[in-house]
Amino acid sequence: MTNLGDLEVFARVVSTGSMSAAGRALGLSAAVISKRVKRLEERLGTRLLQRTTRQVSLTEAGQGFYDRVLGVLAGIEEAEAYAAGRSSQAQGTLRITAPTSFGRMHIAPHLTGFMKDHPDLKLHIVLSDEFSDIVADGFDLAVRIGELTDSSLVARKLAPVRRLLCASPDYISRHGAPKEIGDLAEHICLPAHNNESWKLEGPGGSLAYRPDGPLVTNSSEIIRAAVIAGAGIALRSTWDVSAELRDGHLVQVLPEWEGSQRLTLSAVYPSRQFLPAKVRLFVDYLSALYGPVPYWEQ
């Protein structure tokens, strides 16, 4: 009988498009992946993949086999989901990626309760501001802020993301507060870490304003620290600066203007007919934690 692990390896090679990517996703070397695919082909007596130095593609036999393998793996996953669904426990390793600042501020402090409820589940969390290929990189789940662009992924909305203009009281005392949107040209404005224009919406409708400040960085946390320290005006998400707004270390400026981009905080995972219990439980946990009106907005 064919080894089920070889079927999973074969399916992962096809979905990622290369032996090396499949190896990264499964924690195996490309050589081991190649050996297991070859073993599968020898057992079946037919070539499943056409190989080049850069990528692999399915043969005609491979395509038909792949279509049927997906059904087999989906059936196994359904059985596992059924069994896991009969218990509140989850096992194995859950690999998660999330934005650096958000993960540090709004995921890490809340992990204790989840880990207590699921002592047999190991969490592997990678914080990065780069959008990784969660399939190729072997992640079960990504927490993302923005819009879903990859139609092969499923996104579950966790919370809305609201952005506003803010500055420190010290900056306001030294430079005054802008009275209208055109006054920003006379102020020190701190660009976003990706140097994009501020997309704003207010009484005058929507506009794009490109700040030309003295600080350019690829780090969102540097901009955050700079605006708190009084370096200028910045456009920040409320999840990022709500505590400073409450305690007075920051004040909102031009309150009638806010970010116009309708961003969302989402849990993103590969499109599967049957969602693994470990993913479902963690997404449910985050959804209950944040809710339609997240705690940082209250």
Side-chain angles (χ1 to χ4, degrees):
M1 180 180 293
T2 299
N3 186 311
L4 287 175
D6 289 348
L7 297 183
E8 183 181 3
V9 166
F10 168 70
R12 190 59 66 97
V13 170
V14 176
S15 65
T16 60
S18 74
M19 301 283 184
S20 57
R24 289 193 299 271
L26 296 172
L28 300 171
S29 69
V32 170
I33 295 292
S34 179
K35 181 178 179 180
R36 293 183 67 169
V37 171
K38 184 178 180 181
R39 179 173 68 184
L40 181 60
E41 289 178 324
E42 289 175 348
R43 176 175 177 79
L44 297 173
T46 186
R47 180 176 289 274
L48 301 173
L49 298 171
Q50 298 288 0
R51 300 160 175 81
T52 68
T53 56
R54 293 183 176 271
Q55 62 182 9
V56 297
S57 60
L58 287 165
T59 63
E60 184 178 352
Q63 182 65 64
F65 185 68
Y66 177 64
D67 293 341
R68 289 158 178 79
V69 164
L70 289 182
V72 172
L73 295 178
I76 293 172
E77 193 168 344
E78 179 185 14
E80 291 177 343
Y82 170 78
R86 300 178 64 86
S87 167
S88 61
Q89 299 300 314
Q91 298 180 345
T93 299
L94 177 62
R95 298 194 74 236
I96 305 163
T97 180
T100 303
S101 296
F102 187 87
R104 177 178 57 80
M105 297 173 67
H106 298 293
I107 295 179
H110 306 292
L111 292 176
T112 301
F114 183 81
M115 291 189 293
K116 284 183 178 178
D117 290 341
H118 306 284
D120 296 325
L121 182 63
K122 180 179 180 180
L123 299 180
H124 181 176
I125 301 177
V126 176
L127 299 184
S128 173
D129 292 327
E130 300 296 327
F131 271 27
S132 63
D133 184 331
I134 64 174
V135 174
D137 293 338
F139 289 107
D140 298 295
L141 170 71
V143 176
R144 287 182 175 169
I145 299 170
E147 298 295 332
L148 181 66
T149 57
D150 189 341
S151 60
S152 68
L153 302 177
V154 175
R156 176 173 168 184
K157 182 177 178 180
L158 299 175
V161 175
R162 191 166 65 96
R163 296 184 300 163
L164 47 79
L165 295 165
C166 57
S168 73
D170 176 63
Y171 175 86
I172 298 299
S173 69
R174 289 184 287 113
H175 298 275
K179 303 299 184 184
E180 55 187 39
I181 196 69
D183 293 343
L184 288 177
E186 306 301 321
H187 282 267
I188 302 172
C189 294
L190 305 175
H193 69 282
N194 52 17
N195 209 28
E196 292 181 350
S197 297
W198 293 348
K199 294 179 175 60
L200 303 170
E201 189 170 38
S206 299
L207 61 84
Y209 179 79
R210 182 173 291 279
D212 186 21
L215 177 61
V216 177
T217 175
N218 67 343
S219 170
S220 177
E221 295 206 350
I222 286 181
I223 297 297
R224 180 181 190 277
V227 70
I228 293 171
I233 297 172
L235 180 67
R236 306 300 296 176
S237 298
T238 53
W239 62 258
D240 188 39
V241 294
S242 60
E244 287 73 20
L245 289 167
R246 283 195 301 268
D247 64 23
H249 285 96
L250 288 175
V251 295
Q252 187 175 1
V253 299
L254 297 173
E256 68 275 18
W257 289 87
E258 291 190 358
S260 61
Q261 283 181 296
R262 296 296 179 252
L263 303 178
T264 58
L265 174 72
S266 301
V268 180
Y269 42 88
S271 178
R272 296 176 180 171
Q273 185 176 2
F274 304 102
L275 187 64
K278 61 184 179 181
V279 176
R280 173 179 53 80
L281 289 169
F282 193 73
V283 173
D284 287 346
Y285 182 77
L286 293 183
S287 181
L289 175 64
Y290 304 141
V293 182
Y295 61 81
W296 55 80
E297 291 280 4
Q298 300 173 11

